[in-house]
């Protein structure tokens, strides 16, 4: 039932939707979203979505509004009222107060002929035939429809603003999502130790360097430039082939031209490079010079994977 109701929403969209989007987009103020009951919960979610996608928004509970919270509404703010029936007592008290302050008002309602529908400057119709509740009482289908319209508003505004993934990262600095959008390789590799040997370093010293730096790998460098890599796996393969490695040096067992990544690359790109090449470490370069190591465990620790 909810699925069918959502499918029907597109047929209810009128010019009011486009004009409401334009109103919010061109507004110099914020979006104040109000409702009561389950509609208030939906209002909170829409506020959160708008804020995270570049449209400043504030929730105002319809009941609290008439007991002091009307002070939230400033001159240039646009008000969105959410109500399935559009005729609740709180809405009937609140709407005239908003109108008297000359703020533009958008209604999200399932009853376009309601008090709210008649008073609003723009109507976003969220009519549903029936709630999914078997008693047709608990707000289910109706609140889902309200949520969908709120998401549609947010996405349209996002596209009008040219809101990019970089912008999104600014508003989501915490958690795995934010880190995927802003965390760079240097942010991780700079806190790691920097294992390195030269081509003529003895195998004993290579083993010590890998063990001490605890990354399971060392870069082989020449004039601070990467010429190879030696991993734990390279050492195991060497031991399976030779009995005496006293005369061997790093250049004898290193892998030349190893996979590497720029220090300013995104951490998510490092993860993809590791996955595509079935490796656990990447050497990091900055301005063509060796700058460190990023390990797959670092990415796991940061929540990138």
């Amino acid at each position: 039932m909810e699925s069918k109701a959502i499918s029907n929403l597109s047929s209810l969209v009128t010019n009011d939707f486009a004009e409401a989007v334009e109103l919010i987009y061109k507004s110099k103020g914020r979006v104040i979203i109000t409702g009561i009951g389950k509609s208030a919960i939906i209002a909170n979610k829409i506020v959160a979505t708008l804020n995270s996608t570049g449209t400043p928004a504030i929730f105002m509970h319809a009941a609290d509004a008439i007991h002091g919270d009307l002070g939230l509404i400033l001159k240039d703010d646009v008000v969105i009222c959410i109500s399935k029936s559009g005729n609740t007592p709180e809405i009937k008290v609140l709407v005239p107060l908003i109108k008297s302050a000359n703020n533009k008002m958008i209604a999200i309602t399932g009853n376009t002929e309601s008090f709210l529908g008649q008073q609003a400057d723009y109507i976003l119709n969220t009519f549903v035939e029936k709630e999914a509740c078997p008693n047709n009482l608990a707000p289910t289908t109706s609140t889902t429809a309200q949520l969908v319209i709120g998401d549609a508003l947010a996405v349209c505004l996002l596209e009008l603003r040219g809101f990019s993934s970089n912008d999104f990262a600014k508003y989501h600095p915490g958690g795995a999502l934010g880190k995927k959008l802003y965390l760079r390789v240097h942010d991780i590799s700079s806190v790691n130790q920097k294992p390195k040997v030269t081509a003529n370093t003895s195998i004993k010293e290579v083993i010590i360097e890998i063990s001490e730096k605890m990354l399971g790998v060392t870069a082989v460098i020449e004039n601070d430039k990467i010429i190879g890599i030696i991993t734990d796996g390279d050492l195991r393969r060497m031991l399976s082939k030779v009995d005496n490695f006293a005369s061997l040096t790093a250049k004898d067992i290193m892998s030349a031209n190893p996979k590497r990544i720029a220090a300013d690359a995104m951490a998510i790109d490092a993860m993809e490079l590791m996955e595509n090449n079935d490796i656990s470490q990447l050497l990091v370069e900055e301005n063509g010079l060796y700058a460190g190591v990023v390990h797959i465990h670092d990415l796991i620790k940061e929540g990138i994977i």
Side-chain angles (χ1 to χ4, degrees), residues 27-154:
S27 171
K28 295 178 181 178
R30 308 155 303 173
V31 179
I32 310 295
I33 310 183
T34 187
I36 196 163
K38 302 300 187 295
S39 293
I41 297 171
I42 297 300
N44 265 304
K45 191 276 177 186
I46 297 173
V47 163
T49 301
L50 289 174
N51 279 327
S52 69
T53 52
T55 299
I58 296 176
F59 170 70
M60 179 182 70
H61 197 283
D64 293 337
I66 57 179
H67 293 285
D69 280 6
L70 271 174
L72 284 171
I73 306 176
L74 303 179
K75 182 182 69 173
D76 294 322
D77 291 342
V78 175
V79 180
I80 299 177
C81 289
I82 306 177
S83 173
K84 177 189 176 183
S85 70
N87 288 316
T88 60
E90 293 83 1
I91 291 295
K92 286 186 174 181
V93 173
L94 177 61
V95 166
L97 298 173
I98 295 171
K99 295 288 287 183
S100 67
N102 296 317
N103 291 89
K104 290 292 184 180
M105 186 167 56
I106 300 165
I108 297 179
T109 182
N111 183 2
T112 60
E113 301 302 318
S114 64
F115 179 81
L116 174 59
Q118 291 174 349
Q119 296 295 315
D121 296 292
Y122 304 97
I123 302 174
L124 308 186
N125 191 353
T126 53
F127 171 77
V128 296
E129 202 168 295
K130 190 179 179 183
E131 300 287 5
C133 163
N135 299 314
N136 193 29
L137 293 174
T140 46
T141 311
S142 59
T143 47
T144 302
Q146 293 166 356
L147 189 64
V148 170
I149 288 295
D151 286 344
L153 278 174

Side-chain angles (χ1 to χ4, degrees), residues 122-289:
Y122 304 97
I123 302 174
L124 308 186
N125 191 353
T126 53
F127 171 77
V128 296
E129 202 168 295
K130 190 179 179 183
E131 300 287 5
C133 163
N135 299 314
N136 193 29
L137 293 174
T140 46
T141 311
S142 59
T143 47
T144 302
Q146 293 166 356
L147 189 64
V148 170
I149 288 295
D151 286 344
L153 278 174
V155 171
C156 288
L157 289 163
L158 179 154
E159 292 184 352
L160 276 177
R161 297 185 196 286
F163 195 83
S164 68
S165 59
N166 288 332
D167 295 317
F168 198 80
K170 293 176 185 177
Y171 295 109
H172 298 77
L177 179 60
K179 288 180 179 179
K180 287 181 180 179
L181 293 170
Y182 79 83
L183 195 68
R184 296 188 181 273
V185 170
H186 175 266
D187 298 325
I188 299 174
S189 64
S190 61
V191 299
N192 284 338
Q193 297 193 70
K194 193 177 172 182
K196 59 183 178 180
V197 297
T198 66
N200 295 320
T201 300
S202 70
I203 295 301
K204 179 180 178 180
E205 290 173 315
V206 168
I207 294 172
I208 291 172
E209 181 71 359
I210 292 177
S211 298
E212 287 183 347
K213 301 300 169 61
M214 298 184 294
L215 289 168
V217 67
T218 184
V220 183
I221 64 168
E222 184 177 289
N223 298 322
D224 285 331
K225 292 187 177 181
I226 298 168
I227 61 171
I229 189 172
I230 299 174
T231 67
D232 281 339
D234 293 323
L235 293 175
R236 286 193 297 271
R237 283 186 287 274
M238 175 201 68
L239 291 172
S240 69
K241 293 178 181 178
V242 298
D243 294 323
N244 186 352
F245 55 82
S247 62
L248 296 179
T249 60
K251 67 176 179 291
D252 297 316
I253 67 169
M254 74 179 191
S255 299
N257 300 316
K259 299 294 180 186
R260 62 196 81 182
I261 193 165
D264 62 352
M266 304 304 294
I268 188 72
D269 295 331
M271 182 203 73
E272 291 177 0
L273 190 56
M274 288 185 199
E275 287 184 337
N276 292 338
N277 291 278
D278 196 24
I279 55 179
S280 300
Q281 306 102 333
L282 278 174
L283 299 185
V284 181
E285 282 184 324
E286 189 166 11
N287 298 321
L289 303 178

